[in-house]
Amino acid sequence: MRAEDLFHVGVVTNDSEATRQSLSALLGYEWGPDVGSQVEVMTPGGPIATVMSCSFSVQTPRIEVVTEVPGTMWTGGGGVHHLGYWSDDVAADLGVLEESGFVREAVRTGPDGEPFFAFCRNDSGLRLELVTRAAEPGLSQCWSGPGR
């Protein structure tokens, strides 16, 4: 993990369309497609399956707008929800963060059995998302934008 691995700032909202419209009107952001599916993650309380939906800004700094999932860690709070970083080894980087006092909140395992993404949070409320760098080619389609 390095500072230059930051690839998005995530916000969670109960009205994704209004949030995107506001950011577009105020700051000129354009948006990639809204994507979503059922996601199974392991949490400290056990496995959960939930439907996740999000969209990424075309411009950088990249913003991810996530639709709120009540009853989970993906609930809105009116501010930054997480910072998303590419990771060459999610399991190892998660271990480093846990050694530094972060608490694991959710991990999704990929088809290879290795963590695909992981969320963790420290005592001050900073939440980080680690995403396997192997996903970058596929995820980059999420910010290709209209007509790109």
Side-chain angles (χ1 to χ4, degrees), residues 96-123:
V96 169
L97 290 171
E98 289 176 324
E99 288 173 9
S100 299
F102 280 78
V103 175
R104 182 183 307 217
E105 291 185 298
V107 178
R108 179 179 185 194
T109 303
D112 60 359
E114 295 297 318
F116 181 79
F117 69 70
F119 283 86
C120 56
R121 188 175 183 160
N122 70 8
D123 288 343

PDB file of all heavy atoms in Angstrom, residues 96-123:
ATOM      1  N   VAL A  96      -1.378  -5.912   7.685  1.00  0.00           N
ATOM      2  CA  VAL A  96      -0.606  -4.738   8.114  1.00  0.00           C
ATOM      3  C   VAL A  96      -1.529  -3.722   8.789  1.00  0.00           C
ATOM      4  O   VAL A  96      -1.201  -3.165   9.840  1.00  0.00           O
ATOM      5  CB  VAL A  96       0.137  -4.097   6.917  1.00  0.00           C
ATOM      6  CG1 VAL A  96       0.711  -2.735   7.277  1.00  0.00           C
ATOM      7  CG2 VAL A  96       1.228  -5.025   6.396  1.00  0.00           C
ATOM      8  N   LEU A  97      -2.689  -3.495   8.191  1.00  0.00           N
ATOM      9  CA  LEU A  97      -3.631  -2.542   8.783  1.00  0.00           C
ATOM     10  C   LEU A  97      -4.132  -3.028  10.140  1.00  0.00           C
ATOM     11  O   LEU A  97      -4.230  -2.245  11.084  1.00  0.00           O
ATOM     12  CB  LEU A  97      -4.808  -2.300   7.832  1.00  0.00           C
ATOM     13  CG  LEU A  97      -4.460  -1.508   6.569  1.00  0.00           C
ATOM     14  CD1 LEU A  97      -5.638  -1.520   5.597  1.00  0.00           C
ATOM     15  CD2 LEU A  97      -4.050  -0.085   6.898  1.00  0.00           C
ATOM     16  N   GLU A  98      -4.415  -4.314  10.258  1.00  0.00           N
ATOM     17  CA  GLU A  98      -4.872  -4.845  11.543  1.00  0.00           C
ATOM     18  C   GLU A  98      -3.780  -4.730  12.605  1.00  0.00           C
ATOM     19  O   GLU A  98      -4.067  -4.405  13.758  1.00  0.00           O
ATOM     20  CB  GLU A  98      -5.339  -6.294  11.383  1.00  0.00           C
ATOM     21  CG  GLU A  98      -6.653  -6.381  10.618  1.00  0.00           C
ATOM     22  CD  GLU A  98      -7.114  -7.795  10.349  1.00  0.00           C
ATOM     23  OE1 GLU A  98      -6.267  -8.680  10.092  1.00  0.00           O
ATOM     24  OE2 GLU A  98      -8.331  -8.020  10.384  1.00  0.00           O
ATOM     25  N   GLU A  99      -2.535  -4.939  12.222  1.00  0.00           N
ATOM     26  CA  GLU A  99      -1.424  -4.761  13.163  1.00  0.00           C
ATOM     27  C   GLU A  99      -1.300  -3.307  13.604  1.00  0.00           C
ATOM     28  O   GLU A  99      -0.785  -3.018  14.680  1.00  0.00           O
ATOM     29  CB  GLU A  99      -0.113  -5.226  12.542  1.00  0.00           C
ATOM     30  CG  GLU A  99       0.001  -6.727  12.398  1.00  0.00           C
ATOM     31  CD  GLU A  99       1.240  -7.152  11.634  1.00  0.00           C
ATOM     32  OE1 GLU A  99       2.117  -6.295  11.341  1.00  0.00           O
ATOM     33  OE2 GLU A  99       1.325  -8.347  11.308  1.00  0.00           O
ATOM     34  N   SER A 100      -1.808  -2.396  12.763  1.00  0.00           N
ATOM     35  CA  SER A 100      -1.758  -0.966  13.070  1.00  0.00           C
ATOM     36  C   SER A 100      -3.003  -0.489  13.809  1.00  0.00           C
ATOM     37  O   SER A 100      -3.196   0.718  13.976  1.00  0.00           O
ATOM     38  CB  SER A 100      -1.597  -0.161  11.779  1.00  0.00           C
ATOM     39  OG  SER A 100      -0.399  -0.500  11.127  1.00  0.00           O
ATOM     40  N   GLY A 101      -3.883  -1.412  14.194  1.00  0.00           N
ATOM     41  CA  GLY A 101      -5.054  -1.037  14.974  1.00  0.00           C
ATOM     42  C   GLY A 101      -6.363  -0.971  14.206  1.00  0.00           C
ATOM     43  O   GLY A 101      -7.399  -0.659  14.788  1.00  0.00           O
ATOM     44  N   PHE A 102      -6.338  -1.247  12.917  1.00  0.00           N
ATOM     45  CA  PHE A 102      -7.584  -1.263  12.144  1.00  0.00           C
ATOM     46  C   PHE A 102      -8.350  -2.539  12.450  1.00  0.00           C
ATOM     47  O   PHE A 102      -7.760  -3.582  12.745  1.00  0.00           O
ATOM     48  CB  PHE A 102      -7.304  -1.177  10.639  1.00  0.00           C
ATOM     49  CG  PHE A 102      -7.013   0.207  10.144  1.00  0.00           C
ATOM     50  CD1 PHE A 102      -5.766   0.781  10.344  1.00  0.00           C
ATOM     51  CD2 PHE A 102      -7.980   0.933   9.475  1.00  0.00           C
ATOM     52  CE1 PHE A 102      -5.490   2.063   9.886  1.00  0.00           C
ATOM     53  CE2 PHE A 102      -7.713   2.216   9.008  1.00  0.00           C
ATOM     54  CZ  PHE A 102      -6.467   2.776   9.216  1.00  0.00           C
ATOM     55  N   VAL A 103      -9.680  -2.456  12.350  1.00  0.00           N
ATOM     56  CA  VAL A 103     -10.553  -3.598  12.574  1.00  0.00           C
ATOM     57  C   VAL A 103     -11.196  -3.981  11.247  1.00  0.00           C
ATOM     58  O   VAL A 103     -11.726  -3.118  10.533  1.00  0.00           O
ATOM     59  CB  VAL A 103     -11.638  -3.258  13.622  1.00  0.00           C
ATOM     60  CG1 VAL A 103     -12.631  -4.393  13.776  1.00  0.00           C
ATOM     61  CG2 VAL A 103     -10.988  -2.911  14.952  1.00  0.00           C
ATOM     62  N   ARG A 104     -11.158  -5.239  10.939  1.00  0.00           N
ATOM     63  CA  ARG A 104     -11.765  -5.771   9.713  1.00  0.00           C
ATOM     64  C   ARG A 104     -13.284  -5.638   9.814  1.00  0.00           C
ATOM     65  O   ARG A 104     -13.886  -6.043  10.798  1.00  0.00           O
ATOM     66  CB  ARG A 104     -11.364  -7.234   9.598  1.00  0.00           C
ATOM     67  CG  ARG A 104     -11.841  -7.949   8.392  1.00  0.00           C
ATOM     68  CD  ARG A 104     -11.436  -9.409   8.444  1.00  0.00           C
ATOM     69  NE  ARG A 104      -9.997  -9.558   8.664  1.00  0.00           N
ATOM     70  CZ  ARG A 104      -9.255 -10.498   8.101  1.00  0.00           C
ATOM     71  NH1 ARG A 104      -9.820 -11.391   7.308  1.00  0.00           N
ATOM     72  NH2 ARG A 104      -7.970 -10.572   8.350  1.00  0.00           N
ATOM     73  N   GLU A 105     -13.902  -5.065   8.764  1.00  0.00           N
ATOM     74  CA  GLU A 105     -15.355  -4.915   8.755  1.00  0.00           C
ATOM     75  C   GLU A 105     -16.032  -5.845   7.759  1.00  0.00           C
ATOM     76  O   GLU A 105     -17.117  -6.342   8.024  1.00  0.00           O
ATOM     77  CB  GLU A 105     -15.745  -3.477   8.415  1.00  0.00           C
ATOM     78  CG  GLU A 105     -15.400  -2.484   9.496  1.00  0.00           C
ATOM     79  CD  GLU A 105     -15.923  -1.116   9.149  1.00  0.00           C
ATOM     80  OE1 GLU A 105     -15.506  -0.548   8.119  1.00  0.00           O
ATOM     81  OE2 GLU A 105     -16.764  -0.608   9.919  1.00  0.00           O
ATOM     82  N   ALA A 106     -15.425  -6.036   6.588  1.00  0.00           N
ATOM     83  CA  ALA A 106     -16.018  -6.894   5.564  1.00  0.00           C
ATOM     84  C   ALA A 106     -14.940  -7.311   4.581  1.00  0.00           C
ATOM     85  O   ALA A 106     -14.074  -6.514   4.233  1.00  0.00           O
ATOM     86  CB  ALA A 106     -17.134  -6.158   4.825  1.00  0.00           C
ATOM     87  N   VAL A 107     -15.030  -8.562   4.139  1.00  0.00           N
ATOM     88  CA  VAL A 107     -14.099  -9.088   3.139  1.00  0.00           C
ATOM     89  C   VAL A 107     -14.903  -9.894   2.133  1.00  0.00           C
ATOM     90  O   VAL A 107     -15.718 -10.734   2.515  1.00  0.00           O
ATOM     91  CB  VAL A 107     -13.014  -9.991   3.766  1.00  0.00           C
ATOM     92  CG1 VAL A 107     -12.099 -10.570   2.692  1.00  0.00           C
ATOM     93  CG2 VAL A 107     -12.198  -9.226   4.798  1.00  0.00           C
ATOM     94  N   ARG A 108     -14.662  -9.644   0.857  1.00  0.00           N
ATOM     95  CA  ARG A 108     -15.258 -10.457  -0.205  1.00  0.00           C
ATOM     96  C   ARG A 108     -14.148 -11.287  -0.823  1.00  0.00           C
ATOM     97  O   ARG A 108     -13.102 -10.758  -1.216  1.00  0.00           O
ATOM     98  CB  ARG A 108     -15.907  -9.591  -1.268  1.00  0.00           C
ATOM     99  CG  ARG A 108     -16.508 -10.443  -2.388  1.00  0.00           C
ATOM    100  CD  ARG A 108     -17.180  -9.640  -3.444  1.00  0.00           C
ATOM    101  NE  ARG A 108     -17.817 -10.518  -4.413  1.00  0.00           N
ATOM    102  CZ  ARG A 108     -18.252 -10.105  -5.578  1.00  0.00           C
ATOM    103  NH1 ARG A 108     -18.142  -8.836  -5.922  1.00  0.00           N
ATOM    104  NH2 ARG A 108     -18.813 -10.949  -6.405  1.00  0.00           N
ATOM    105  N   THR A 109     -14.383 -12.566  -0.934  1.00  0.00           N
ATOM    106  CA  THR A 109     -13.410 -13.473  -1.528  1.00  0.00           C
ATOM    107  C   THR A 109     -13.692 -13.606  -3.017  1.00  0.00           C
ATOM    108  O   THR A 109     -14.849 -13.712  -3.432  1.00  0.00           O
ATOM    109  CB  THR A 109     -13.507 -14.854  -0.848  1.00  0.00           C
ATOM    110  OG1 THR A 109     -13.310 -14.674   0.548  1.00  0.00           O
ATOM    111  CG2 THR A 109     -12.470 -15.810  -1.386  1.00  0.00           C
ATOM    112  N   GLY A 110     -12.624 -13.599  -3.807  1.00  0.00           N
ATOM    113  CA  GLY A 110     -12.753 -13.758  -5.247  1.00  0.00           C
ATOM    114  C   GLY A 110     -12.822 -15.219  -5.647  1.00  0.00           C
ATOM    115  O   GLY A 110     -12.693 -16.116  -4.801  1.00  0.00           O
ATOM    116  N   PRO A 111     -12.993 -15.474  -6.933  1.00  0.00           N
ATOM    117  CA  PRO A 111     -13.092 -16.854  -7.416  1.00  0.00           C
ATOM    118  C   PRO A 111     -11.834 -17.687  -7.133  1.00  0.00           C
ATOM    119  O   PRO A 111     -11.909 -18.906  -7.048  1.00  0.00           O
ATOM    120  CB  PRO A 111     -13.302 -16.714  -8.919  1.00  0.00           C
ATOM    121  CG  PRO A 111     -13.583 -15.288  -9.183  1.00  0.00           C
ATOM    122  CD  PRO A 111     -13.166 -14.498  -7.986  1.00  0.00           C
ATOM    123  N   ASP A 112     -10.700 -17.008  -6.954  1.00  0.00           N
ATOM    124  CA  ASP A 112      -9.447 -17.718  -6.681  1.00  0.00           C
ATOM    125  C   ASP A 112      -9.270 -18.037  -5.197  1.00  0.00           C
ATOM    126  O   ASP A 112      -8.259 -18.604  -4.791  1.00  0.00           O
ATOM    127  CB  ASP A 112      -8.252 -16.904  -7.186  1.00  0.00           C
ATOM    128  CG  ASP A 112      -8.139 -15.538  -6.527  1.00  0.00           C
ATOM    129  OD1 ASP A 112      -8.985 -15.184  -5.680  1.00  0.00           O
ATOM    130  OD2 ASP A 112      -7.180 -14.810  -6.871  1.00  0.00           O
ATOM    131  N   GLY A 113     -10.261 -17.668  -4.381  1.00  0.00           N
ATOM    132  CA  GLY A 113     -10.182 -17.924  -2.951  1.00  0.00           C
ATOM    133  C   GLY A 113      -9.445 -16.854  -2.170  1.00  0.00           C
ATOM    134  O   GLY A 113      -9.411 -16.883  -0.939  1.00  0.00           O
ATOM    135  N   GLU A 114      -8.861 -15.906  -2.861  1.00  0.00           N
ATOM    136  CA  GLU A 114      -8.147 -14.792  -2.223  1.00  0.00           C
ATOM    137  C   GLU A 114      -9.095 -13.608  -2.049  1.00  0.00           C
ATOM    138  O   GLU A 114     -10.065 -13.479  -2.796  1.00  0.00           O
ATOM    139  CB  GLU A 114      -6.949 -14.374  -3.082  1.00  0.00           C
ATOM    140  CG  GLU A 114      -5.878 -15.442  -3.210  1.00  0.00           C
ATOM    141  CD  GLU A 114      -5.240 -15.784  -1.872  1.00  0.00           C
ATOM    142  OE1 GLU A 114      -4.966 -14.851  -1.087  1.00  0.00           O
ATOM    143  OE2 GLU A 114      -5.041 -16.977  -1.612  1.00  0.00           O
ATOM    144  N   PRO A 115      -8.819 -12.733  -1.075  1.00  0.00           N
ATOM    145  CA  PRO A 115      -9.693 -11.559  -0.910  1.00  0.00           C
ATOM    146  C   PRO A 115      -9.721 -10.688  -2.164  1.00  0.00           C
ATOM    147  O   PRO A 115      -8.674 -10.373  -2.730  1.00  0.00           O
ATOM    148  CB  PRO A 115      -9.053 -10.802   0.255  1.00  0.00           C
ATOM    149  CG  PRO A 115      -8.268 -11.819   0.996  1.00  0.00           C
ATOM    150  CD  PRO A 115      -7.779 -12.789  -0.060  1.00  0.00           C
ATOM    151  N   PHE A 116     -10.937 -10.351  -2.601  1.00  0.00           N
ATOM    152  CA  PHE A 116     -11.136  -9.459  -3.740  1.00  0.00           C
ATOM    153  C   PHE A 116     -11.149  -8.018  -3.266  1.00  0.00           C
ATOM    154  O   PHE A 116     -10.551  -7.142  -3.867  1.00  0.00           O
ATOM    155  CB  PHE A 116     -12.446  -9.813  -4.444  1.00  0.00           C
ATOM    156  CG  PHE A 116     -12.744  -8.979  -5.648  1.00  0.00           C
ATOM    157  CD1 PHE A 116     -12.118  -9.243  -6.851  1.00  0.00           C
ATOM    158  CD2 PHE A 116     -13.649  -7.928  -5.577  1.00  0.00           C
ATOM    159  CE1 PHE A 116     -12.388  -8.467  -7.973  1.00  0.00           C
ATOM    160  CE2 PHE A 116     -13.916  -7.148  -6.692  1.00  0.00           C
ATOM    161  CZ  PHE A 116     -13.286  -7.426  -7.895  1.00  0.00           C
ATOM    162  N   PHE A 117     -11.888  -7.785  -2.159  1.00  0.00           N
ATOM    163  CA  PHE A 117     -11.834  -6.486  -1.507  1.00  0.00           C
ATOM    164  C   PHE A 117     -12.002  -6.682  -0.015  1.00  0.00           C
ATOM    165  O   PHE A 117     -12.496  -7.713   0.448  1.00  0.00           O
ATOM    166  CB  PHE A 117     -12.846  -5.475  -2.066  1.00  0.00           C
ATOM    167  CG  PHE A 117     -14.301  -5.750  -1.793  1.00  0.00           C
ATOM    168  CD1 PHE A 117     -14.847  -5.628  -0.515  1.00  0.00           C
ATOM    169  CD2 PHE A 117     -15.163  -6.085  -2.825  1.00  0.00           C
ATOM    170  CE1 PHE A 117     -16.184  -5.848  -0.269  1.00  0.00           C
ATOM    171  CE2 PHE A 117     -16.506  -6.315  -2.594  1.00  0.00           C
ATOM    172  CZ  PHE A 117     -17.021  -6.197  -1.307  1.00  0.00           C
ATOM    173  N   ALA A 118     -11.577  -5.663   0.735  1.00  0.00           N
ATOM    174  CA  ALA A 118     -11.715  -5.694   2.191  1.00  0.00           C
ATOM    175  C   ALA A 118     -11.914  -4.270   2.691  1.00  0.00           C
ATOM    176  O   ALA A 118     -11.317  -3.328   2.162  1.00  0.00           O
ATOM    177  CB  ALA A 118     -10.474  -6.303   2.843  1.00  0.00           C
ATOM    178  N   PHE A 119     -12.765  -4.134   3.697  1.00  0.00           N
ATOM    179  CA  PHE A 119     -12.965  -2.857   4.372  1.00  0.00           C
ATOM    180  C   PHE A 119     -12.468  -3.000   5.802  1.00  0.00           C
ATOM    181  O   PHE A 119     -12.709  -4.019   6.456  1.00  0.00           O
ATOM    182  CB  PHE A 119     -14.454  -2.482   4.425  1.00  0.00           C
ATOM    183  CG  PHE A 119     -15.000  -1.954   3.134  1.00  0.00           C
ATOM    184  CD1 PHE A 119     -15.475  -2.828   2.163  1.00  0.00           C
ATOM    185  CD2 PHE A 119     -15.054  -0.591   2.890  1.00  0.00           C
ATOM    186  CE1 PHE A 119     -15.990  -2.350   0.973  1.00  0.00           C
ATOM    187  CE2 PHE A 119     -15.567  -0.100   1.704  1.00  0.00           C
ATOM    188  CZ  PHE A 119     -16.039  -0.985   0.741  1.00  0.00           C
ATOM    189  N   CYS A 120     -11.797  -1.971   6.281  1.00  0.00           N
ATOM    190  CA  CYS A 120     -11.379  -1.950   7.684  1.00  0.00           C
ATOM    191  C   CYS A 120     -11.442  -0.505   8.175  1.00  0.00           C
ATOM    192  O   CYS A 120     -11.456   0.434   7.385  1.00  0.00           O
ATOM    193  CB  CYS A 120      -9.989  -2.547   7.858  1.00  0.00           C
ATOM    194  SG  CYS A 120      -8.732  -1.765   6.869  1.00  0.00           S
ATOM    195  N   ARG A 121     -11.492  -0.370   9.509  1.00  0.00           N
ATOM    196  CA  ARG A 121     -11.691   0.948  10.112  1.00  0.00           C
ATOM    197  C   ARG A 121     -10.867   1.047  11.382  1.00  0.00           C
ATOM    198  O   ARG A 121     -10.722   0.078  12.118  1.00  0.00           O
ATOM    199  CB  ARG A 121     -13.176   1.098  10.441  1.00  0.00           C
ATOM    200  CG  ARG A 121     -13.585   2.455  10.895  1.00  0.00           C
ATOM    201  CD  ARG A 121     -15.082   2.485  11.072  1.00  0.00           C
ATOM    202  NE  ARG A 121     -15.479   3.816  11.452  1.00  0.00           N
ATOM    203  CZ  ARG A 121     -16.682   4.292  11.320  1.00  0.00           C
ATOM    204  NH1 ARG A 121     -17.637   3.556  10.829  1.00  0.00           N
ATOM    205  NH2 ARG A 121     -16.965   5.510  11.699  1.00  0.00           N
ATOM    206  N   ASN A 122     -10.335   2.263  11.640  1.00  0.00           N
ATOM    207  CA  ASN A 122      -9.571   2.446  12.880  1.00  0.00           C
ATOM    208  C   ASN A 122     -10.419   3.169  13.922  1.00  0.00           C
ATOM    209  O   ASN A 122     -11.572   3.538  13.666  1.00  0.00           O
ATOM    210  CB  ASN A 122      -8.235   3.149  12.625  1.00  0.00           C
ATOM    211  CG  ASN A 122      -8.370   4.597  12.240  1.00  0.00           C
ATOM    212  OD1 ASN A 122      -9.441   5.197  12.278  1.00  0.00           O
ATOM    213  ND2 ASN A 122      -7.255   5.201  11.849  1.00  0.00           N
ATOM    214  N   ASP A 123      -9.837   3.362  15.101  1.00  0.00           N
ATOM    215  CA  ASP A 123     -10.571   3.963  16.222  1.00  0.00           C
ATOM    216  C   ASP A 123     -11.040   5.390  15.945  1.00  0.00           C
ATOM    217  O   ASP A 123     -12.021   5.840  16.522  1.00  0.00           O
ATOM    218  CB  ASP A 123      -9.709   3.971  17.489  1.00  0.00           C
ATOM    219  CG  ASP A 123      -9.541   2.597  18.085  1.00  0.00           C
ATOM    220  OD1 ASP A 123     -10.317   1.684  17.732  1.00  0.00           O
ATOM    221  OD2 ASP A 123      -8.631   2.416  18.910  1.00  0.00           O
TER     222      ASP A 123
END
